[in-house]
Amino acid sequence: MEKHRVALIKGDDRYANIRRALEAIEEDIDLAGKQRIVVKPNFVSIRRSLAATQPDAVRAVLDFLQEEGVGRVTLAEGPAMGSFQQGLKNHGYSRLLEEYDPEIVDLNKDESVEVGLYTRSMQPMRLPVARTIVESDYRISIGPPKTHDIAIVTLSLKNMAVGSLTGRKSRVHQGHQGIHLNLYKLAYHVAPELSVIDGFRAMEGDGPVSGDPVEWRVAVASTDFVAADSLTAQLMGFDMEDVGYIYYCDLKGLGHGKRKAMEIVGNVTFEEVHREFKPHRSYERQLNWQIPNVEEYL
């Protein structure tokens, strides 16, 4: 059976961890001919630093891309509240922007294309998704691993999918059943080609904004977003089968979420960094995401 490579690195420097993770899967990262490369941080909050992607994490990705011969890239995000530009300022990105001069796109203000999703009553609906993300030819998700108040965990796919929605993000949530189905549906349009999960300082408890810090010192990277998200969720103490959107993506072959299908490369083992994260206080209710006759909707 073909193994799908996932880098797992632990160390005392955020930048170095991410660089080592990317270098460990360098052979999998195919940037040939890619002209519209988008790097998508997580700014669900433009004010709380713990909830956001840190500048050194993005710097590590940009340096890797430069060494691979990539020119100017697009840095894009659609915060839940406020502007992307204000988030960049609040989270200390000014120096990085001066040094790398990426194109900046606030996805909340981007042109959009409509994507078919579902309401909480399983009725079809359509929501606008940023054209910059949909039409990119290489999407990179970079953000911290966090527990979540509706979807159990937020990792690389959720970062890309929800931030890509133009305007009000809450429209995608649609209850515990709808959010997982909608994230799976959005994966067909916006899934990252490269997932980088910066667990140097993660979040547990009442995430994705108000949770508590976890000094974890971990980085995960893969060109298989399902593998990256599934491995990270398992490292956080959550079974893949308990996180609906990861389960759906694995079930329908969008990636490989089972650990037996992964080749874990890096400087630590799963057991050495596994940690039981405290879930959101609503965790037990969140587990009720299963949909009867779900194949009708997948």
Side-chain angles (χ1 to χ4, degrees):
M1 179 177 65
E2 181 185 359
K3 297 282 188 175
H4 296 262
R5 190 152 39 181
V6 187
L8 177 59
I9 300 292
K10 183 177 176 65
D12 292 327
D13 183 272
R14 168 182 276 120
Y15 175 94
N17 287 353
I18 294 172
R19 284 303 306 268
R20 290 183 68 181
L22 292 171
E23 289 162 3
I25 60 165
E26 186 172 4
E27 293 179 1
D28 302 334
I29 301 172
D30 183 7
L31 298 167
K34 302 299 188 294
Q35 301 296 318
R36 301 183 303 280
I37 298 175
V38 175
V39 176
K40 162 77 169 62
N42 185 329
F43 280 14
V44 65
S45 171
I46 65 169
R47 293 181 175 84
R48 193 176 190 214
S49 178
L50 178 62
T53 305
Q54 297 303 296
D56 271 355
V58 174
R59 182 182 298 276
V61 172
L62 295 179
D63 281 349
F64 177 83
L65 292 176
Q66 283 191 349
E67 292 175 15
E68 292 293 313
V70 173
R72 197 173 186 222
V73 303
T74 298
L75 191 62
E77 168 63 314
M81 295 183 64
S83 74
F84 184 29
Q85 287 77 3
Q86 188 61 50
L88 289 166
K89 180 179 179 181
N90 292 349
H91 295 314
Y93 277 74
S94 298
R95 183 176 175 184
L96 182 145
L97 298 182
E98 291 175 1
E99 293 179 8
Y100 296 88
D101 189 31
E103 179 185 3
I104 303 299
V105 175
D106 188 327
L107 298 174
N108 289 329
K109 302 175 182 178
D110 198 24
E111 293 183 10
S112 64
V113 296
E114 288 196 340
V115 170
L117 301 174
Y118 286 94
T119 68
R120 66 180 60 235
S121 59
M122 295 296 111
Q123 296 301 308
M125 69 172 179
R126 300 187 71 80
L127 290 183
V129 179
R131 187 178 296 275
T132 293
I133 298 297
V134 174
E135 296 184 355
S136 165
D137 56 14
Y138 204 87
R139 293 178 287 265
I140 303 173
S141 175
I142 168 69
K146 300 179 288 183
T147 51
H148 196 267
D149 57 349
I150 299 177
I152 302 177
V153 289
T154 177
L155 301 163
S156 72
L157 174 61
K158 190 171 187 303
N159 172 46
M160 187 67 74
V162 178
S164 297
L165 293 167
T166 60
R168 190 161 53 92
K169 311 300 182 185
S170 61
R171 294 173 295 174
V172 75
H173 287 159
Q174 300 298 322
H176 298 133
Q177 293 180 332
I179 181 62
H180 292 281
L181 179 61
N182 286 336
L183 290 174
Y184 158 74
K185 287 290 187 180
L186 283 164
Y188 285 94
H189 305 277
V190 304
E193 278 79 24
L194 175 59
S195 295
V196 182
I197 298 172
D198 173 24
F200 192 79
R201 201 168 188 230
M203 181 185 288
E204 67 179 358
D206 289 350
V209 176
S210 302
D212 301 316
V214 175
E215 303 297 336
W216 206 16
R217 303 293 194 265
V218 165
V220 174
S222 182
T223 55
D224 181 333
F225 76 93
V226 182
D229 284 0
S230 178
L231 179 66
T232 306
Q234 292 175 63
L235 287 168
M236 296 167 73
F238 301 99
D239 291 337
M240 181 199 77
E241 291 80 3
D242 286 339
V243 185
Y245 66 92
I246 301 177
Y247 171 77
Y248 290 150
C249 289
D250 174 77
L251 178 68
K252 302 305 288 185
L254 301 189
H256 297 78
K258 297 178 178 64
R259 255 198 292 157
K260 65 182 181 181
M262 302 178 196
E263 178 189 0
I264 301 174
V265 296
N267 65 350
V268 286
T269 66
F270 180 94
E271 290 74 20
E272 287 173 316
V273 294
H274 176 265
R275 183 191 191 281
E276 295 289 330
F277 275 54
K278 179 183 176 182
H280 192 277
R281 69 181 76 180
S282 65
Y283 174 63
E284 294 300 326
R285 295 195 302 276
Q286 290 184 57
L287 291 173
N288 297 316
W289 53 263
Q290 291 84 358
I291 301 170
N293 302 316
V294 69
E295 285 288 348
E296 296 178 14
Y297 306 100
L298 296 181

